[in-house]
């Protein structure tokens, strides 16, 4: 039985900054091209001060239910994957359940393992639907990626949410059962309680990411008993967790080099590059990043095929799995108009960005969607405009 992603919707905040302008503003005599070439990021999505993981999730889920005309009575689970949670106990998904009107008989929870938690939630939902435990599930991945002002990680921020509906006979991508895994304990990136921003060892994070990608791919090859180069050849799209475009590019070439894979350059343009277009304009959306990259690849896809997906979560864990892209997936994703929406965003100056993002000040807006109305005793009240 085919089970996978039947509907997908991305909510990206309506503000952005030009990463080149940020690099120039922080250059202090250095050549900004240095960091720009290192990350390959063009734009970064910036949320308003009244947006959080719940408002972005609710916007994504509501948008998905409306766009796909979904029968909400069939939804029996909603899971939120995030690493930007503001509560150690209450699941952000509970707020979302109420805001989008899901029934009381819905399983509601939140999951964590850095950027990989969305993938774990997705694979769990696929298994539950496949086993006949539930009819369909919503997995929503939502994050605000915030680093220390002036750090080298600042050029790789971003914000947004991606909601997916997991169901039988999916219209977008059927997830295949075998997965490869590679996990090991490493201090590349973590955010202990009380820290607003993560503690990051940039170089170690790049090294761990590449090791994990190679490990999970080798484990997958071992499980399906195929040669790794043959698998690379057979994939039509190769999609990576994309904290910044150059990370995906480096990981792909490292993987190919390790395997002495001859067609790497030619296949990069066709199989990997299309997935980097939307992420290069949004930035890192942590848990949602791989699924935004998937949307980017499908937006430019003109035919069905097999997609390989690499998920990485710092700390660390990683998964490699595959999916069969459905015949009309490209048309469906294009009907969302994600790239057009990105072009309609408001560009902030670096000064406005610092005010709204770091100082949490309000700026004038014509925002439409869910917003945080108040926080009383730690409990959040939401409304919509
Ligand atoms: P790095 O290599 O540690 O950065 O991390 P750096 O501080 O050494 O800076 C690199 C160079 O850029 C330096 O030059 C800086 O001076 C220069 P060098 O000393 O080498 O000559 N530089 C500039 N030059 C000109 N103008 C400027 C400027 N700013 C800096 N304005 C990294 C670099 C790209 C990784 C950084 O962006 C970073 O730490 N990002 C966050 C971590 C990350 O994304 N890692 C990717 C893999 S881990 C992952 O994907 C998981 C993640 O999504 C989280 C999760 O799973 O939850 C992050």
């Amino acid at each position: 039985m085919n089970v996978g992603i039947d509907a997908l919707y991305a909510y990206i905040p309506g503000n952005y900054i030009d990463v080149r302008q940020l690099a120039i503003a922080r250059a202090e005599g250095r050549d900004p091209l240095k960091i720009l070439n290192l990350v390959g990021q063009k734009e970064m999505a910036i949320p308003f001060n009244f947006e959080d993981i719940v408002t972005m999730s609710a916007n994504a889920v509501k948008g998905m239910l409306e766009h796909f005309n979904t029968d909400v009575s069939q939804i029996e689970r909603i899971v939120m994957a995030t690493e930007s949670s503001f509560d150690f106990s209450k699941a952000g998904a509970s707020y979302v359940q109420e805001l989008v009107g899901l029934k009381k008989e819905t399983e509601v929870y939140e999951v964590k393992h850095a950027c990989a938690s969305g993938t774990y939630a997705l694979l769990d939902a696929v298994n539950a639907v496949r086993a006949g435990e539930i009819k369909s599930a919503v997995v929503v991945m939502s994050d605000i990626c915030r680093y220390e002002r002036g750090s080298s990680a600042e050029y790789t921020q971003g914000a947004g949410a991606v909601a997916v509906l997991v169901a039988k006979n999916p219209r977008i991508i059927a997830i295949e059962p075998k997965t490869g895994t590679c996990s090991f304990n490493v201090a590349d990136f973590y955010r202990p309680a009380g820290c607003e921003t993560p503690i990051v060892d940039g170089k170690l994070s790049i090294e761990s990411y590449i090791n994990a990608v190679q490990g999970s791919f080798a484990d997958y090859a071992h499980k399906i008993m195929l040669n790794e180069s043959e698998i690379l050849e057979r994939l039509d799209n190769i999609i990576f967790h994309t904290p910044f475009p150059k990370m995906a590019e480096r990981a792909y070439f490292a993987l190919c080099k390790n395997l002495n894979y001859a067609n790497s350059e030619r296949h990069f343009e066709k199989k990997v590059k299309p997935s980097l277009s939307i992420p290069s304009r949004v930035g890192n959306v942590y848990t949602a990043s791989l699924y935004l990259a998937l949307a980017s690849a499908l937006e430019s896809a003109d035919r069905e095929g097999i997609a390989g997906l690499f998920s990485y979560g710092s700390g660390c864990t990683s998964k490699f799995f595959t999916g069969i892209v459905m015949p009309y997936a490209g048309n469906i994703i294009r009907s969302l108009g994600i790239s057009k929406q990105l072009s309609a965003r408001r560009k902030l100056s670096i000064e406005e960005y610092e005010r709204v993002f770091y100082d949490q000040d309000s700026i004038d807006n014509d925002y439409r969607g869910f917003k945080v109305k108040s926080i009383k005793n730690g409990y959040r009240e939401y409304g919509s405009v």
Side-chain angles (χ1 to χ4, degrees), residues 240-314:
F240 290 83
H241 162 59
T242 307
F244 47 89
K246 288 284 178 187
M247 183 69 250
E249 189 175 329
R250 270 174 85 163
Y252 168 76
F253 283 110
L255 187 69
C256 293
K257 194 168 171 218
N258 205 28
L259 300 172
N260 287 322
Y261 180 63
N263 297 328
S264 59
E265 288 287 345
R266 189 162 55 83
H267 283 174
F268 174 75
E269 292 298 316
K270 197 167 145 258
K271 298 186 178 186
V272 183
K273 211 170 172 187
S275 70
L276 306 180
S277 156
I278 293 176
S280 75
R281 302 182 65 191
V282 174
N284 194 354
V285 279
Y286 289 153
T287 52
S289 164
L290 175 63
Y291 301 92
L292 200 58
L294 172 66
S296 181
L298 296 182
E299 200 182 60
S300 63
D302 49 9
R303 60 189 170 86
E304 63 262 58
I306 304 171
L309 294 106
F310 278 108
S311 190
Y312 176 75
S314 280

Side-chain angles (χ1 to χ4, degrees), residues 19-20 22-36 38-39 83 113-116 143 145 147 150-157 188-190 198 200-210 241-244 247 250 284-287 289 312-317:
V19 176
R20 207 172 140 267
L22 179 66
I24 292 170
R26 303 275 191 263
E28 293 173 341
R30 295 170 296 182
D31 179 359
L33 279 179
K34 171 105 200 196
I35 191 72
L36 292 172
L38 194 62
V39 296
E83 54 179 295
H113 191 143
C115 299
D143 272 301
C145 176
Y147 294 106
S151 70
S152 301
E154 192 186 355
Y155 315 97
T156 65
Q157 296 175 140
D188 63 330
F189 171 111
Y190 54 102
V200 189
D201 182 333
K203 289 177 182 62
L204 181 61
S205 75
I206 292 174
E207 191 187 311
S208 304
Y209 179 116
I210 291 173
H241 162 59
T242 307
F244 47 89
M247 183 69 250
R250 270 174 85 163
N284 194 354
V285 279
Y286 289 153
T287 52
S289 164
Y312 176 75
S314 280
C316 76
T317 190

Side-chain angles (χ1 to χ4, degrees), residues 1-18:
M1 181 207 304
N2 270 351
V3 178
I5 299 178
D6 185 49
L8 180 153
Y9 198 90
Y11 170 76
I12 307 299
N15 307 307
Y16 77 98
I17 58 166
D18 180 337

